Amino acid sequence: KAIRKVKQIIHKLAKAPNTTVLLMGETGSGKNIAARLIHHSSMPAEAPFIEINCAALPEHLIESELFGYQKGAFTH
């Protein structure tokens, strides 16, 4: 029952244009599989799939690493 619900959500996300998805969960819960299914089922599946391990990024730099920053933004 739970897997069917996840598949329904993945199907909906794959049809939503220009949608950013953040998958969170325990190690081994299948986040990677869900992400790949969403990507490969989506319209722009020819775009590259980029996997990021957020746990490997320092907490104080995660936002700038994921979304970028303006030059000089970190100087006082």
Side-chain angles (χ1 to χ4, degrees):
K1 190 175 181 178
I3 296 296
R4 274 191 291 254
K5 180 69 174 170
V6 170
K7 285 183 177 182
Q8 289 174 345
I9 293 169
I10 288 171
H11 185 68
K12 286 180 185 178
L13 287 170
K15 289 184 173 185
N18 301 317
T19 300
T20 300
V21 179
L22 174 63
L23 299 172
M24 298 173 22
E26 299 290 325
T27 300
S29 61
K31 297 178 299 292
N32 183 292
I33 294 168
R36 289 179 185 278
L37 284 170
I38 293 166
H39 176 75
H40 292 296
S41 300
S42 67
M43 295 299 283
E46 66 274 355
F49 176 82
I50 301 171
E51 182 177 339
I52 300 171
N53 178 357
C54 293
L57 298 174
E59 185 177 341
H60 62 283
L61 293 178
I62 193 165
E63 188 174 342
S64 61
E65 290 293 325
L66 293 177
F67 305 110
Y69 57 92
Q70 291 183 342
K71 187 174 183 174
F74 299 110
T75 58
H76 292 90

